[in-house]
Structure formats: structure tokens, C-alpha cells
Amino acid sequence: MCGIVGYIGSKNATPILVDALKKLEYRGYDSAGIAVLSGEDIVVRKTKGALKFLVERIIDETIKQSSAKDSAQAEKENDEAFKAAVEKTAAALPGCAGIGHTRWATHGEPNDTNAHPHINESGSIAVVHNGIIENYARLRSWLQSQGVVFRSQTDTEVVAHLTNYFYEKSHDIFQAVRQSLEKLEGSYALGVICRDFPDRIVAARKDCPLVVGIGEGENFIASDVPAIIDRTRLVHFLEQKELAVLYSDHVDLFNMNGEKIIREPFHVDWDVSAAKKDGYAHYMMKEIHEQPKALNDTMNSRLVRDENGRPVDINFEEMQNPEFWKNVGRVVIAACGTASYAGQVAKYVFEKFARLPVEVDVASEFRYRNPVMYPNDLFIVISQSGETADTLAALRLAKENGSRVVAVTNCVGSTISREADDVVYTWAGPEIAVASTKAFTAQVMCMYLLALKSGNVRGTLTGDAYLKALSELESIPSKIEEILKNQQSIQKLASEQFNKEKIFYIGRQFDSAICMECALKLKEVSYMHSESFAAGELKHGPIALVDPSTLVVAVATQRSLFDKIASNIVEVKSRGAATMVITQDKTGYFASCADYVSIPDVDDAFAPLLSVVPAQLFAYYCSVLRGNDPDKPRNLAKSVTVE
């Protein structure tokens, strides 16, 4: 969830660290800090709030955060002014090695003291940490019995003092970190520097992602590739329970026993511009507009075409044996948040095209119950980052039960992609905004491709029906482009409805599944109270909440159910609610009872890939109209790598 960065080389580390932290802001944070080996000392600068305040603290450590300032205002600062201020940090805090951190508070409130990095009592060791040390209370109590005085309320400070305890015995910072890890329970990604070893950074990971960047005469650590992609494209994705020691001219990898690992680095081929706004006001809007390209990239690498360019089949080269679909008895899908709603759509898709029973589980629930698993189950996990803690735990539980696991993820080299039996990459490209848009639709596209292929292999979708489905799927990106060209109408509706107290999304069948994601997107970025209901459930309780302060958005793309959803709209309208309908209907079927949001004509079964786009735009415009930053919603992180 938090962001870790580190640098060692011949350049001044301070502006590089701050710049890298800026690129990780999308992960969410409430405080920030750096520790730099400057001269013969480790100098720590950290503060509550936005990176702007950290830069001020670095330039003049006497500056105290003004209560009149607020981080939301700071985020709207002029980019050029911020860059100029970052350059000044080089002179204010010189040094060629350091570590940095952006923190979401877990243990201890957000304040200057609890911000990372944390140091030992003498200030000779500094630590940054993502994750949760589950046995920190026991370790803290033991260290206090040894005379250690703690400064913060955090679990991370335990790591600094524990490392110091072992360092005083061995005087070897690598061995001290390694021995400390043996005592830690929980999850971690760590960056450690030591005053006595200014030529190196020690890093380690367990259950939290950490990337090691390989440069020329300089090396890096980061929680995610965007932090360092403009400086290097060669990276090591640290594996579970691995350590790295970074020097300016090379990097050594080790296992937990201290044995050296030899492995070739991975080349990242993302376009650097993909991690920039390119003229859009926010990443969220940019990524909404990138969906046609993302879906084409996801599709085109797998569609098999005839001599006329028409799609005739689907080929998953990354899957070892697609024929296993013939023997699958049930599909079980586990995911969290947005990814779990991609799974809800997939349930309808697999059942329609492959005639397979599907169970969709929230990964955090799956991991703590005693699930009933069968030998011919196919287990699918969906995760944008490939590092989601609960989803990773569900994957491991499924494998322990003998299930074949297919991972759908956006991140090459992620933990989930490495541990699954097969991995299907979405090819959505980097997604910076916290609220997922293009990653979600790319996940859904992958699930359609898997379901159509499985239906064809199983004989439940063949001949003209299979070809028609492929053609329909291929048309989706261009139809999304049509929606995006007419987004002003959605902006107008948002301007009329952004002050509603309650927003309910209702739908039936495929529409009911996509409504879950529509409601989530709105609550994530606008902070409006939004929920989704199967439309038929309105009379079973939710209608009691409907009044003139309510907006009800009906997703109505299932033609055989138009009359049913129209009745539901009339029910809520008669109780004073404002009403909207997202539909491909062109006959005016709902004109008397709701404002229209039109989508291009599409086969009912493929409608979720279109109907979600107006909901994304509506959420974005409501967020902006309410004065929020849609890229960095409060209290949320891009990748949830802890429980």
C-alpha cells in the first residue's frame, strides 16, 4: 500500500528519492520521509502530509507544517514550481545513497514521529517498511526489557531496533537484517541503510512487492516500476523471502539462508509516457480514454484471424494446456474489490457460453473458511497488481487443495503471476489512478476470452455462434470510443446530480453484476453513498431508503427484461427519486421514466464492457464537481498488500 524507494550511485540521492516518491503518490499516503547518508551521518527528514511539505522540510528543517495548510491544497500545486523546489533539495541535503517512503497509517496516527524512515537509538541505522509486523508488540516489549527506548507508535520501529540488536553482535549490516527477518512475523518490504556501510542498501521482501532497478553506475529499489521506469528498464522482481544488497556498480541477490542467487534481470517494455497525464487533467480520465487501446491490446494478441482478417478462434499461448477446459467441472473465482466484480460478470459469461457452474468468492473470505474443493475445479484469481495479499493467500490455499490456478493480472513478474499454474496478462499498461478503470475492463475482456474459448473447447459454443461472439467482442473497443465522444451528456447529468445523498444502481442478470462496479467507482472517488442492488430486490428492503434525496441509476441492457426494469424505475420515481438509465435502447422505451445515457447497440451478453464506461465518467465528473482529486481518493491505496 505504501511506497518505498531507494537510490545508491554517484548522483545526489535526495531529488531522485523525492521524484520517485512523487511517482508513487497514486498508491495513497498520509506522510512522507527520506533518510540520506550525508557525510558521516544518516540525515532523516519526514513530515505528515503531502510531499510538498517534505520538500520544505528538507530545504529548511526549521519549517514546521502549518495547520492552515492542507494536503488536498498541496496536491494542486504547480508542477513546475514543485520540480524547481525538488532541485533545491540537492544542495540542502547532499548524499549519494538513501531511502524514502510514503506511508498510510496502520499502527499509530499520521504524524511526523510515526512517519518513515525509522531509526535506531543512535541514528546509525534507518529503515523503511511496507506491510505489517504482526508480532511487533511482543518484540517491542522484549526490546524495551533490553533498555531500548521507542519514539513512535509504529510496528516498523521494531525492525530498526531489532536490526541494531543483531548488528551490535556481528557488525555486519546484511547479517543483522537477515537475522532480524527470522524473528519477524507478518508481511514486509524493507529498505535499510547503515552509517557504517555507506556503500550499500539492504532490501528484503515477504508478501509485499519490491522491485530492484539496475542502472549504469547506480541502482534503485521501489515498490512499483513507475517510480524508476524513467531511469532504468532492467529490474529484478524480488521473490518471496529474498534479500538484495545494492551497491553503486552491482546488485547481489540472496535467499533467507544468505546463499547467493544468480538470476537475469527482467526488461520492462512499458512506454514511459504511459505513466504521464499527456494533457488530461487527471490520470483517471486519461485511463478511461485508454480503454479502447487496452482492450485491443488484450484481444489482438489472442485472436486468431482468417485470410480476410476476421476472428475465427482464440489462442492463449501463455497457457500450457488449454484442453484442460474439457475436464473442468466447476470454476471458482477469488478476488477483491473491483477485481471481484470482474469475477461477478465472469460468472454470467462462463455460465452462458461454457455452461460451467461458477462460484465467486471474496478472497478475504475464501482464505479463512474451510472451502469445499474438487479435483476438477479450475481456480481463477484476478488482481490488477498481482500482489493483493488476500488474493495471494486464496491462491496458495487453492493450490494446497490441488486445484489448477489461472491468474489474471496486469503486472508481469508479480507474485501472483509467478505462483499460478497459468497466467493471463491483461496488457492494460500501467494504471496510475487509484480507482481502476482500464484495468477492470481489461480483466473483464480476459474473462470473456477465457469463457468463449472454454465454451468452444467444451462444445457448448461452436460454428456460427462462436464466430458471431468473436465478432461481437472485437467490436467493443470502437463502441467505447463512441461513448467517449459523447461524454458531455454524462458530464451534464453529473452536474445535475452530484449533490444527491444516496445513489442506487439497479440491474438484472449481466446488468446486476456490472452495477456492483458502477456503485464502487462512484463511492471511491466522489465519497457519495452508493450501493447496488439486483433490481428485483428493491421491494425486499432497499426501497425503504428511497426519497427525493436519492438518485437511482438503472443499467438496462437485457432486452428480454426491459419491462421488468421499467417497472422498478417507475417504483422509485413515484417515491421522489431522480432516475437515470444506461441502455442501448433507441426506441424510447424508458423515456417517460428516466434520463437516458445511451450506449451503442450491442449483444446483451457483451453489454457490461460498454455500460460500465458511462458509470466511470459519471463517477469522475461527480468527484471533480465535489472538489475531490479522483486520482488519489482518501483512505484508499492502489495495491492492498496487507490485510
Side-chain angles (χ1 to χ4, degrees), residues 254-432:
F254 300 89
N255 62 24
M256 282 290 285
N257 296 323
E259 300 164 338
K260 190 171 286 191
I261 298 168
I262 305 299
R263 187 166 66 234
E264 289 297 313
F266 178 84
H267 185 270
V268 178
D269 55 6
W270 284 354
D271 183 354
V272 175
S273 66
K276 297 180 180 179
K277 291 180 184 176
D278 290 343
Y280 288 92
H282 299 95
Y283 282 112
M284 183 177 178
M285 181 58 87
K286 174 176 179 274
E287 289 157 8
I288 289 172
H289 279 260
E290 287 174 340
Q291 287 177 112
K293 179 182 184 303
L295 296 185
N296 271 321
D297 290 346
T298 299
M299 252 194 317
N300 288 336
S301 61
R302 285 139 182 155
L303 288 182
V304 179
R305 301 178 183 276
D306 64 14
E307 63 276 8
N308 297 312
R310 291 174 299 204
V312 294
D313 200 1
I314 300 168
N315 179 32
F316 286 99
E317 291 183 356
E318 58 264 62
M319 300 182 77
Q320 297 173 24
N321 179 22
E323 293 296 305
F324 70 78
W325 287 106
K326 289 181 179 178
N327 300 315
V328 169
R330 180 181 67 153
V331 175
V332 179
I333 301 173
C336 298
T338 283
S340 74
Y341 299 146
Q344 293 291 346
V345 175
K347 174 181 173 67
Y348 288 95
V349 177
F350 271 105
E351 290 182 350
K352 177 177 178 63
F353 293 118
R355 304 306 297 153
L356 277 168
V358 180
E359 179 180 329
V360 183
D361 230 318
V362 175
S364 57
E365 290 295 304
F366 182 86
R367 67 181 294 193
Y368 287 118
R369 62 183 176 86
N370 186 19
V372 178
M373 304 292 289
Y374 301 101
N376 61 347
D377 279 346
L378 175 68
F379 196 81
I380 300 177
V381 293
I382 311 173
S383 168
Q384 183 277 140
S385 68
E387 303 290 349
T388 311
D390 287 317
T391 306
L392 181 57
L395 178 156
R396 290 169 177 163
L397 180 57
K399 292 196 74 170
E400 288 172 10
N401 281 276
S403 293
R404 185 183 185 91
V405 177
V406 173
V408 176
T409 183
N410 193 37
C411 293
V412 176
S414 59
T415 305
I416 284 174
S417 72
R418 295 194 301 271
E419 294 194 16
D421 296 302
D422 293 295
V423 58
V424 175
Y425 289 113
T426 56
W427 305 127
E431 187 178 66
I432 305 302

Side-chain angles (χ1 to χ4, degrees), residues 341-342 344-345 348 440-441 444 505-507 509-520 532 555 557 607-613 615:
Y341 299 146
Q344 293 291 346
V345 175
Y348 288 95
F440 170 78
T441 49
V444 175
Y505 280 87
I506 61 172
Q509 299 297 300
F510 283 87
D511 295 337
S512 177
I514 205 65
C515 278
M516 299 178 187
E517 171 62 11
C518 298
L520 176 65
S532 69
V555 180
T557 67
L609 283 163
L610 298 185
S611 58
V612 72
V613 178

Side-chain angles (χ1 to χ4, degrees), residues 154-170:
T154 67
D155 56 334
T156 302
E157 191 180 354
V158 163
V159 182
H161 294 304
L162 189 63
T163 301
N164 180 71
Y165 173 83
F166 288 111
Y167 181 72
E168 289 180 346
K169 298 179 182 299
S170 67

